[in-house]
Amino acid sequence: MIELHNVSKQYPMREGMRTVLQGINLRVRPGEKLGILGRNGSGKSTLIRLIGGAEKPSSGRITRSMRVSWPLALISGFGGSLTGRDSLRMVCRIYGVDWHDKLGFVKDFTELGRYFDEPVQSYSHGMMARLAFAVSMVIDFDCFLIDEVVAVGDSTFTERCNHQLFGQRGHKAMVIVSHSEAFIRQHCDHAAVLVDGQLHSFDDNELAFAFYKDSLAIPEDSAS
């Protein structure tokens, strides 16, 4: 289970501290698919980084009793002089997994060819995203964090990603943050809406979608 208890996040700005998230309470159970809707700039990516542990809250508490993935859209951890093979080996070592057993899958799935043994800094954005996605699939996470729609290639490759994530790992818990109501409808059991740094949860998903549509009518400069 993942629990957020009165979590807030602030960042220093020239004009003072800016509150991005305020008093967030959230619970994700094993196998649950939670969708969090919010307009661009609402703090969705900040929230998912906090859930994954990439950032720490300014206040409040986060507890995890499940193995949680990094945000699947995050590729910043793959760079420098490490090759694709080195990156796989490094991640597997961190999580205590034998990388030799995962090598064939990652090479086949990424379709990087000879670039698999080239420095990641020479990769295009798409190549880096494919590597990050494939490596995340070889770790037995209990909960996957998904930042926006998973699309790291052409339509055929995207279908392969969706099959791996929502098909092969459909029994895992997931937290999906997006501004796409259709994507949340397709993949999530429950929905919440992030507005002005506060998370609004609903027992009825249709109420969540209606609330989200209403929130889009708020002028952009009024949103956090």
Side-chain angles (χ1 to χ4, degrees):
M1 186 177 296
I2 304 168
E3 293 184 286
L4 278 67
H5 306 271
N6 201 32
V7 167
S8 296
K9 183 64 177 180
Q10 296 177 316
Y11 294 99
M13 307 289 286
R14 287 185 178 180
E15 62 273 17
M17 298 299 293
R18 177 174 181 259
T19 299
V20 177
L21 300 172
Q22 184 174 0
I24 302 293
N25 291 287
L26 176 65
R27 177 178 295 169
V28 182
R29 298 174 177 84
E32 182 177 2
K33 311 295 188 297
L34 173 65
I36 300 176
L37 287 157
R39 68 197 304 169
N40 290 333
S42 63
K44 302 186 305 296
S45 294
T46 299
L47 176 57
I48 208 165
R49 288 196 300 269
L50 291 174
I51 294 173
E55 293 191 38
K56 294 183 178 181
S58 301
S59 62
R61 181 167 52 94
I62 301 175
T63 59
R64 308 172 189 86
S65 58
M66 295 191 290
R67 178 179 281 191
V68 182
S69 79
W70 57 82
L72 295 194
L74 182 65
I75 61 175
S76 59
F78 297 88
S81 60
L82 293 181
T83 66
R85 186 187 301 267
D86 294 334
S87 300
L88 169 64
R89 188 161 45 199
M90 176 190 69
V91 170
C92 288
R93 184 180 300 119
I94 291 172
Y95 287 95
V97 175
D98 185 353
W99 71 277
H100 296 89
D101 296 340
K102 314 301 182 183
L103 179 60
F105 169 82
V106 173
K107 291 183 69 174
D108 291 344
F109 194 84
T110 59
E111 299 177 336
L112 290 173
R114 65 181 179 84
Y115 283 99
F116 188 71
D117 287 303
E118 295 294 332
V120 174
Q121 62 188 6
S122 68
Y123 288 13
S124 67
H125 185 277
M127 293 165 68
M128 291 176 66
R130 283 153 54 189
L131 176 64
F133 183 89
V135 171
S136 70
M137 293 296 101
V138 304
I139 306 300
D140 188 24
F141 292 118
D142 301 307
C143 180
F144 285 91
L145 304 180
I146 305 167
D147 192 348
E148 296 297 347
V149 177
V150 177
V152 294
D154 58 26
S155 59
T156 300
F157 193 83
T158 298
E159 288 178 7
R160 291 174 60 198
C161 292
N162 287 337
H163 173 70
Q164 284 293 327
L165 185 58
F166 301 114
Q168 297 295 322
R169 293 158 185 81
H171 60 291
K172 301 289 188 177
M174 296 181 188
V175 179
I176 302 175
V177 297
S178 179
H179 62 267
S180 171
E181 178 184 330
F183 194 70
I184 297 297
R185 280 184 180 275
Q186 181 179 2
H187 296 294
C188 297
D189 307 317
H190 306 289
V193 183
L194 189 61
V195 178
D196 291 335
Q198 296 184 323
L199 189 66
H200 302 264
S201 300
F202 299 86
D203 294 330
D204 186 334
N205 282 356
E206 293 305 317
L207 292 177
F209 297 137
F211 182 83
Y212 175 57
K213 289 178 180 177
D214 289 342
S215 74
L216 295 179
I218 301 173
E220 193 74 33
D221 57 5
S222 298
S224 62

